[in-house]
Amino acid sequence: MNDKTIAYILENVPAMIAFHDTEQNIVWGNRDYRDACGIDADQLAGKKCWIAWGLSKPCQNCPVKVALNTGKSAEAVITREGQGHWPENQGAWHVRATPATDDQGNIIGAIALAFEITKRKSREKIRLEEAQDRFRAIAENALDAIVLIDEEGKVVYWNPAAEKMFGYHAAEVMGKDVHAVLMPEEYQERFKKGFEEFRKTGKGPAVGKVIELTAKLKPGTKIPIEISVAPIRIGENVWVCAIIRDISARKRLIEDLQQTRDLLQAVLDNIPLMIKMYDPDGRILLLNKTFENLIGWSKEEAEKVDLMQEIYPDPAYRQKAWKFMRSTAREWREFSIKTKNGDIVESVWTNIRLPDGNQIGIGMDIRDLLAKDNALKESQKRFDLLVSRLNDVIWSAKMNGSIIEANHAFETVYGISEEDLKRNPGLWLEVVHPEDRRIAEDSARQLRNTGLAEAEYRIVRPDGEVRWIRDRKSLIYNEKGQPKQMGGIINDITELKKKEEEKERLQKQLIQAQKMEAVGRLAGGVAHDFNNMLSIILGFTQLAMMRLERSDPIYAELEEIYRAGERSASLTRQLLAFARQQTIIPEVLDLNACVAEMLKMLQRLIGEDIEIAWKPGTNVWPVKMDPSQVDQILANLAVNARDAIKSVGKLTLETENVVIDEKYCARYSYSKPGEFVMLAVSDSGCGMDQGTLERIFEPFFTTKGQNGTGLGLATVYGIVKQNHGFINVYSEPGQGTTFKIYLPRFAGTIRGKTAEQHQDLPRGKGETVLVVEDEPQILNFCKKTLEYLGYRVIEATNPMEAITLAEKHSGKIDLLLTDVIMPEMNGRELATQIHSINPNIKPIFMSGYTSNVIAHHGVLDEGIVFVQKPLELNNLAKKMRKALTQK
């Protein structure tokens, strides 16, 4: 096959083919390649391929680059994703690249074969617009030199392209002999004679033709040109219009093509296309290496067999292939080819008819493409399936609002079918909750104004159910930046809104609990200081009363002072109970028995007009707490019920075993899971509104005006919390109130209450007591009281002084009476150090509130003897004797 045939084949292959040198510069591209990128051959040569295609940088995964770097064939599908500037009219391309080598095996370039694998958008329209643009550019800015010559051979017009080509401005050549300006000296006479002949006869070698000449430039250099001339009649005269093109680049290209004959052969052999040439009778004239390697027959072997019969064994199928091979249609058609070893190759073929009647068949192995196409289809199916299964609504619409598409989730969320929505696009707004319609309308306006919008609002389904949705949408723009569609995603956030509401409710509960805790700490601190003062008041009042006869008028006055002090002490006890800083001595109790013992006292407390209904639970579990605290709870709740009922009514007491689960705890954050004994106290009183319910456990909050202290329910709250329980309150105005108290179950045996035996005031027998108290007045009271009771007293105002006195004292010290909270060290630490000095000493601790030094969560440590402030003579005397007799 000669060079022209090869060139003709490559030029007319209905596929884009280009040869690149080792620097990725385009050496040559065939007609389809040039048409696709819109660049002429002389402008295409030497360009980087990405520049020819209008890109700002090389393509990612460029097969040409891979083939040049690795020496192996490569292919890739190249789309706009991840690329630089990508022209709007470009689609996706499947590119194969094969390295080309010389006789020594050196890589001298790469052959690229490209196929568009997606439809170009409005390709004919785009090409027409491009052609119109090119025509306009040519008409307004001709690249060819246009020279107008009068009948005497003088230049009368010289366009800008001529100025650029030859280096002369129009003013320099106007009126000059064109031959002297353009022709080299050795050709001037010959061309003058030709021009004379043309002027006389109207004929000449360049008239109506395109001929090649040599022209000179202003600097004196010569260039090859292509010129065509045409006569133009101007009045009686005949002028000449010469169109001149600089063909230097073309000449160089031709020279380069002459030098790349071996390269063209390499292209033919290495191109990833099957190429065969056959005569009208079907005889094989050419098989390229790609075809030979694929089918397994060489050209020489193929000439000895009926190749068509071998590769198309089925007669009917072979006849179909023959018919296509003899056609002149420039199209691709699929055929299955059988190879020499029996494999079936899926391929596509097209034909080129040569001027001499021979046919070129060009084929491509599409097995990989089919696999990728199938994979793409499977991927699309999976994507469609995924979208169809989404719980979120996905929709798109035209700019006029008519719906293009909505997935099945629309019907699930809205309760409206996609067909109904398409028939009435305004339905989406009609179902918006009337109170939220303004939000939805504002969101639609924002979308049109800014291109993006997001809003949350409610919808009302046809079945009446109200749902919250989050509506996010955006505009989709065309290549001119104009909005052409809109679309978005709608999420059903009903459950999320419910959780947010629940979170807000729990947050309020947490804030309330934190507020109660803070008030409790304040109340505990106040009670502590107050107890110290009450110890002084009550203590010295008792001492004074003991020194007087009951008949003495001052005794009665002191008695009033003492009663007032006791009432104040009761107030501080309630504060400590609320603050959970009251020292308690818990026992294992039968709650039913405790309530039953209190019934008579409760009846006296609330009066005969209020009926008490007692409903004890069966086999109620034991609880562990201080019995006096049960009495405090019942008394406070009963008094509150009496005040709420005002006249005739009913108070109901109930007990029951309950198990609290995680679901209950999730709703009531202050609760905890486990087994509890529930004590319910219900009244038929006036009830409470929500505002009152939120504050009932706050200290000093009362609805009774001057008749209430506001500490009753605060005390109940503190006692329950101190015993690791919790409270629920149910109340509505006019419907009464129920307090449900949950106390943890104790796994153990029940011991009944032991009645305290009446006994006389215990007195000392001359034992020595070391008293440590940093409050001087309390220290003075303790000294006088203990001496009155028959004890010898050593005083210390701080721990260090006490240690010094213990070390210096020569006799026996029987008891240590110390405050718990003091500067330098606490009472327990002091007791430890004193014990190291005097191992037989017995400690007694006193304090106005519970300290973790001697108690854990208000529960006294085992074996500790404790005296609660404010100090009282009888209690102090009993504790002293208990410490002395305790082993």
Side-chain angles (χ1 to χ4, degrees):
M1 183 184 298
N2 60 34
D3 296 345
K4 288 186 177 180
T5 302
I6 294 173
Y8 187 85
I9 292 171
L10 297 175
E11 180 72 9
N12 289 280
V13 169
M16 287 172 285
I17 302 171
F19 180 75
H20 301 256
D21 63 16
T22 56
E23 301 299 325
Q24 281 189 260
N25 296 312
I26 299 173
V27 176
W28 172 84
N30 73 344
R31 183 178 65 188
D32 277 8
Y33 194 93
R34 297 193 302 272
D35 288 347
C37 63
I39 299 178
D40 294 335
D42 55 346
Q43 295 173 325
L44 184 64
K47 285 186 181 293
K48 301 290 186 183
C49 59
W50 62 85
I51 294 176
W53 286 96
L55 305 182
S56 61
K57 61 181 180 179
C59 299
Q60 290 186 0
N61 305 320
C62 175
V64 173
K65 185 175 180 180
V66 175
L68 290 172
N69 290 340
T70 65
K72 297 179 181 180
S73 296
E75 63 178 311
V77 173
I78 298 177
T79 63
R80 72 170 56 240
E81 283 72 21
Q83 310 296 346
H85 169 72
W86 188 271
E88 289 297 328
N89 62 336
Q90 294 295 342
W93 301 86
H94 182 267
V95 181
R96 293 183 179 181
T98 304
T101 58
D102 58 16
D103 294 338
Q104 287 75 39
N106 298 317
I107 296 175
I108 60 174
I111 305 141
L113 179 66
F115 294 90
E116 186 176 9
I117 60 173
T118 57
K119 285 187 177 181
R120 291 175 182 248
K121 181 182 176 183
S122 304
R123 180 182 297 174
E124 292 78 7
K125 180 180 177 182
I126 292 169
R127 285 187 173 177
L128 178 60
E129 290 174 352
E130 290 175 348
Q132 289 172 344
D133 291 341
R134 284 198 294 270
F135 174 77
R136 199 176 299 113
I138 291 170
E140 295 174 358
N141 303 286
L143 297 176
D144 291 336
I146 301 175
V147 181
L148 193 59
I149 308 162
D150 66 13
E151 70 280 357
E152 295 180 356
K154 307 296 183 183
V155 176
V156 293
Y157 174 74
W158 187 266
N159 76 337
E163 291 183 345
K164 184 177 179 181
M165 184 182 298
F166 295 105
Y168 295 103
H169 291 293
E172 294 181 86
V173 297
M174 286 298 184
K176 291 186 179 180
D177 181 17
V178 69
H179 304 99
V181 173
L182 298 181
M183 295 296 109
E185 291 182 6
E186 61 267 30
Y187 301 126
Q188 287 183 14
E189 289 301 322
R190 180 155 58 104
F191 284 110
K192 284 181 180 180
K193 291 179 181 179
F195 184 77
E196 286 295 327
E197 182 183 351
F198 167 75
R199 192 171 60 174
K200 293 175 181 178
T201 64
K203 297 179 180 179
V207 178
K209 300 177 182 178
V210 178
I211 62 173
E212 292 183 11
L213 296 173
T214 300
K216 68 176 182 178
L217 307 180
K218 182 177 180 180
T221 56
K222 299 176 183 178
I223 62 167
I225 62 169
E226 197 174 67
I227 184 170
S228 63
V229 298
I232 299 175
R233 184 169 296 280
I234 306 297
E236 298 296 326
N237 300 319
V238 177
W239 288 7
V240 174
C241 179
I243 299 176
I244 306 167
R245 176 174 293 178
D246 182 354
I247 59 171
S248 301
R250 186 197 303 172
K251 285 290 186 179
R252 286 193 299 271
L253 179 60
I254 292 172
E255 290 171 1
D256 290 341
L257 288 175
Q258 292 295 330
Q259 296 171 4
T260 57
R261 177 179 179 184
D262 292 339
L263 182 60
L264 287 174
Q265 188 62 48
V267 170
L268 187 64
D269 287 338
N270 291 285
I271 192 170
L273 289 173
M274 297 175 283
I275 297 178
K276 61 182 177 179
M277 186 169 70
Y278 45 90
D279 65 16
D281 296 326
R283 287 189 294 271
I284 297 295
L285 303 177
L286 169 71
L287 295 179
N288 73 339
K289 292 294 183 184
T290 303
F291 196 18
E292 288 180 348
N293 294 335
L294 189 70
I295 64 174
W297 277 285
S298 66
K299 176 179 179 299
E300 291 74 19
E301 291 174 326
E303 289 174 347
K304 299 174 184 178
V305 299
D306 186 343
L307 187 61
M308 288 295 291
Q309 183 173 330
E310 294 292 339
I311 63 177
Y312 302 117
D314 181 77
Y317 197 77
R318 184 166 61 250
Q319 187 63 32
K320 176 183 175 183
W322 268 120
K323 183 178 179 181
F324 177 68
M325 289 169 59
R326 291 190 175 97
S327 72
T328 58
R330 284 176 58 85
E331 63 179 79
W332 292 91
R333 191 171 297 178
E334 290 188 25
F335 286 96
S336 298
I337 297 174
K338 182 179 179 182
T339 66
K340 188 177 183 179
N341 63 9
D343 293 339
I344 302 299
V345 176
E346 298 299 330
S347 60
V348 291
W349 289 88
T350 189
N351 299 295
I352 300 172
R353 178 167 293 177
L354 300 177
D356 59 6
N358 293 331
Q359 291 276 108
I360 300 293
I362 302 170
M364 181 171 62
D365 181 357
I366 61 169
R367 286 175 293 182
D368 289 345
L369 282 176
L370 289 176
K372 290 176 181 177
D373 184 55
N374 291 334
L376 183 62
K377 289 178 180 177
E378 287 299 318
S379 176
Q380 185 64 40
K381 285 181 181 178
R382 289 194 296 270
F383 176 76
D384 292 342
L385 182 62
L386 176 64
V387 170
S388 68
R389 291 181 176 179
L390 284 176
N391 294 324
D392 298 329
V393 178
I394 299 177
W395 62 272
S396 61
K398 296 178 181 178
M399 291 306 295
N400 63 7
S402 59
I403 299 298
I404 298 174
E405 186 178 11
N407 66 343
H408 84 290
F410 181 83
E411 185 168 353
T412 304
V413 174
Y414 280 77
I416 300 170
S417 69
E418 182 182 353
E419 290 72 23
D420 289 340
L421 181 64
K422 286 183 176 180
R423 282 192 292 269
N424 180 10
L427 269 177
W428 77 271
L429 184 59
E430 293 176 15
V431 300
V432 174
H433 194 286
E435 295 177 5
D436 295 350
R437 195 158 293 167
R438 176 74 175 274
I439 298 173
E441 291 171 342
D442 289 346
S443 173
R445 279 191 292 271
Q446 183 184 3
L447 174 66
R448 294 185 180 274
N449 292 337
T450 68
L452 289 171
E454 181 174 345
E456 293 181 4
Y457 50 83
R458 292 166 294 174
I459 60 168
V460 183
R461 290 163 46 94
D463 58 9
E465 181 185 358
V466 177
R467 289 191 179 183
W468 275 96
I469 64 166
R470 180 182 291 120
D471 179 8
R472 291 175 289 180
K473 46 189 174 282
S474 62
L475 296 181
I476 303 169
Y477 299 90
N478 61 20
E479 62 276 2
K480 295 180 180 179
Q482 299 170 332
K484 63 177 183 179
Q485 284 184 17
M486 51 187 170
I489 299 176
I490 296 173
N491 315 109
D492 185 345
I493 58 170
T494 306
E495 291 302 317
L496 180 62
K497 283 291 184 180
K498 289 179 180 177
K499 289 179 180 178
E500 287 177 352
E501 291 171 0
E502 179 67 11
K503 181 180 178 181
E504 184 178 351
R505 187 184 65 79
L506 293 177
Q507 185 68 23
K508 287 182 179 178
Q509 290 182 354
L510 176 61
I511 292 171
Q512 179 69 8
Q514 290 172 336
K515 181 172 68 173
M516 297 295 290
E517 188 67 26
V519 174
R521 285 196 295 269
L522 175 63
V526 171
H528 168 253
D529 293 338
F530 197 42
N531 271 335
N532 278 339
M533 299 301 104
L534 285 175
S535 293
I536 298 166
I537 295 169
L538 290 172
F540 281 104
T541 301
Q542 270 189 307
L543 286 176
M545 290 170 66
M546 292 172 65
R547 288 182 173 88
L548 297 172
E549 297 294 332
R550 284 185 172 270
S551 59
D552 193 314
I554 297 175
Y555 187 93
E557 293 171 354
L558 290 174
E559 197 171 33
E560 288 299 319
I561 294 173
Y562 188 79
R563 289 195 187 100
E566 280 190 319
R567 286 195 295 271
S568 298
S570 175
L571 188 65
T572 59
R573 280 193 294 274
Q574 291 186 67
L575 278 173
L576 288 170
F578 166 74
R580 303 192 297 282
Q581 293 177 347
Q582 179 186 28
T583 305
I584 59 173
I585 304 174
E587 300 176 16
V588 179
L589 303 175
D590 178 348
L591 198 59
N592 281 350
C594 293
V595 175
E597 288 180 11
M598 281 287 292
L599 290 177
K600 288 183 179 180
M601 191 195 82
L602 293 178
Q603 191 69 71
R604 288 195 298 272
L605 196 62
I606 63 178
E608 297 299 328
D609 290 338
I610 300 174
E611 175 191 353
I612 296 179
W614 167 226
K615 299 179 180 179
T618 306
N619 299 321
V620 170
W621 295 323
V623 296
K624 187 175 183 179
M625 63 186 297
D626 192 314
S628 66
Q629 290 183 317
V630 178
D631 299 345
Q632 278 183 285
I633 290 172
L634 291 171
N636 279 303
L637 292 180
V639 169
N640 265 24
R642 178 198 66 192
D643 295 339
I645 292 172
K646 298 186 184 303
S647 57
V648 178
K650 187 174 183 179
L651 175 68
T652 304
L653 306 177
E654 302 174 74
T655 56
E656 181 185 1
N657 294 334
V658 296
V659 178
I660 302 298
D661 57 18
E662 297 289 349
K663 185 177 180 181
Y664 185 93
C665 294
R667 179 158 183 79
Y668 300 101
S669 60
Y670 50 79
S671 62
K672 57 186 75 173
E675 296 177 330
F676 294 83
V677 178
M678 186 269 292
L679 169 63
V681 180
S682 304
D683 65 62
S684 59
C686 59
M688 293 176 280
D689 57 24
Q690 188 61 36
T692 303
L693 276 173
E694 290 177 356
R695 300 189 62 191
I696 57 173
F697 294 124
E698 292 181 15
F700 311 113
F701 172 75
T702 179
T703 58
K704 303 173 187 177
Q706 298 296 323
N707 297 321
T709 64
L711 284 173
L713 292 179
T715 301
V716 172
Y717 177 87
I719 291 172
V720 174
K721 285 293 182 182
Q722 191 172 28
N723 287 279
H724 311 295
F726 62 94
I727 308 176
N728 266 347
V729 186
Y730 306 87
S731 185
E732 290 184 23
Q735 301 298 317
T737 301
T738 296
F739 289 86
K740 289 189 175 181
I741 297 169
Y742 296 84
L743 299 170
R745 175 186 181 180
F746 176 78
T749 57
I750 303 175
R751 292 181 296 178
K753 284 187 178 180
T754 56
E756 187 176 299
Q757 296 296 322
H758 176 75
Q759 58 184 16
D760 294 331
L761 186 67
R763 302 184 70 84
K765 301 176 181 178
E767 293 92 340
T768 300
V769 182
L770 174 57
V771 181
V772 188
E773 169 62 63
D774 60 341
E775 181 64 48
Q777 290 176 301
I778 297 177
L779 180 62
N780 186 30
F781 165 73
C782 290
K783 180 178 183 299
K784 291 185 177 182
T785 301
L786 293 176
E787 288 176 344
Y788 172 79
L789 291 172
Y791 296 97
R792 295 177 63 241
V793 178
I794 302 172
E795 304 172 68
T797 58
N798 59 68
M800 298 311 297
E801 182 184 357
I803 293 170
T804 301
L805 290 172
E807 290 174 338
K808 291 181 178 181
H809 187 73
S810 58
K812 179 183 178 184
I813 301 177
D814 299 284
L815 292 172
L816 169 67
L817 176 60
T818 177
D819 195 8
V820 174
I821 304 301
M822 293 181 296
E824 300 175 0
M825 68 179 69
N826 64 52
R828 191 154 198 168
E829 292 171 337
L830 174 62
T832 301
Q833 293 212 27
I834 296 292
H835 185 268
S836 66
I837 299 170
N838 189 340
N840 296 319
I841 198 168
K842 304 288 183 66
I844 305 174
F845 299 98
M846 56 183 174
S847 182
Y849 71 109
T850 299
S851 167
N852 287 336
V853 173
I854 60 169
H856 184 65
H857 294 302
V859 181
L860 201 65
D861 291 351
E862 190 71 27
I864 295 292
V865 179
F866 176 72
V867 183
Q868 175 76 51
K869 291 181 179 180
L871 299 176
E872 190 269 330
L873 180 61
N874 289 342
N875 188 40
L876 180 60
K878 292 175 184 177
K879 297 291 183 179
M880 296 291 288
R881 184 50 50 189
K882 178 180 178 181
L884 284 169
T885 57
Q886 184 172 277
K887 294 182 180 180

